[in-house]
């Protein structure tokens, strides 16, 4: 029987790339996203089961845990937001929604899946998604920087709590060329300027993130836990040009 993986945000740019990569490796999948029609189309393509749910709803994580089944070899929480505003214009609702989507949502997803992760035949793995903005200060990033810094803390705390039965790591991304980012990348001039701000001279792709996530979920990464790994074109560690 194929190992089963639970992917939140399955229809997003990064989530769908990860799902296709895992399916190509022969992994069974349970997919989660809000848009039922898009989710069913992806599930049909990949031969996966799915739950269409909004993670901001109170019973979402319990429903997913019930639908996903009794044993999971891995979980990826690829849900996030890009809410860029001047600090003075941020509202309590902005901070609350960003934190719930990015940080507390990730914690609740892992918590609900924990019995199934612990029931896996081999050591299970979890991958969350952080941001370069959690470690570097950028204008307009107060809410997302705060929320993703919480993801970093969550990863380190849960690595202590869940070891040795479950590994957990996060991938800290810089701006990635996904549908979520198109409001920022709609201008060709701005796209080129942001790409040039990265030492590697380009934006990230969903496949960049998916490749690292698939590795961290695999047994090849069995001695890696509690880490926040930059997949960011060097932007988190190298001064811009």
């Amino acid at each position: 029987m194929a190992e089963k993986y639970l992917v939140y945000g399955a229809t997003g740019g990064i989530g769908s790339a990860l799902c296709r990569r895992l399916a190509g490796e022969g992994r069974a999948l349970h997919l989660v996203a809000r848009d039922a029609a898009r989710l069913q189309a992806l599930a049909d393509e990949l031969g996966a089961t799915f739950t269409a749910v909004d993670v901001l709803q109170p019973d979402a994580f319990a429903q997913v845990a019930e639908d996903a089944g009794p044993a999971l070899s891995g979980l990826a929480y690829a849900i996030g937001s890009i809410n860029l505003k001047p600090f003075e214009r941020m509202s309590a609702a902005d901070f609350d929604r960003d934190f719930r989507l990015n940080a507390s949502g990730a914690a609740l997803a892992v918590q609900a899946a924990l019995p199934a992760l612990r029931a896996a035949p081999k050591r299970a793995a979890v991958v969350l998604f952080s941001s370069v903005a959690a470690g570097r200060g950028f204008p307009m990033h107060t809410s997302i920087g705060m929320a993703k810094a919480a993801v970093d803390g969550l990863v380190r705390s849960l690595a202590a709590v869940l070891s040795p039965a479950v590994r957990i790591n996060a991938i800290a991304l810089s701006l990635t060329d996904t549908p979520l980012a198109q409001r920022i990348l709609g201008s060709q001039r701005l796209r080129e300027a942001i790409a040039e701000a990265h030492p590697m001279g380009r934006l990230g792709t969903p496949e960049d993130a998916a490749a690292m996530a698939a590795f961290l979920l695999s047994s090849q990464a069995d001695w890696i836990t509690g880490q926040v790994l930059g997949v960011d074109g060097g932007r988190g560690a190298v001064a811009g040009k």
Side-chain angles (χ1 to χ4, degrees), residues 150-171:
V151 172
D152 293 359
L154 176 66
V155 163
R156 296 181 181 113
S157 296
L158 287 184
V161 171
L162 304 182
S163 296
V166 181
R167 299 183 298 104
I168 181 167
N169 297 285
I171 299 169

Side-chain angles (χ1 to χ4, degrees), residues 3-89:
E3 296 179 340
K4 193 171 193 178
Y5 291 78
L6 170 58
V7 180
Y8 281 85
T11 58
I14 292 169
S16 60
L18 175 59
C19 289
R20 290 187 172 99
R21 180 177 285 265
L22 292 174
E25 295 173 354
R27 315 295 187 185
L29 297 172
H30 187 82
L31 314 182
V32 182
R34 288 181 301 174
D35 188 319
R38 290 175 58 203
L39 186 59
Q40 181 158 10
L42 182 64
D44 289 347
E45 174 193 336
L46 301 179
T49 56
F50 68 93
T51 303
V53 70
D54 184 339
V55 298
L56 295 179
Q57 297 304 309
D59 299 325
F61 298 105
Q63 182 63 57
V64 171
E66 181 179 343
D67 293 350
L72 291 169
S73 293
L75 181 155
Y77 187 84
I79 291 176
S81 57
I82 305 177
N83 185 15
L84 306 184
K85 292 183 182 178
F87 177 62
E88 294 82 359
R89 289 177 49 204

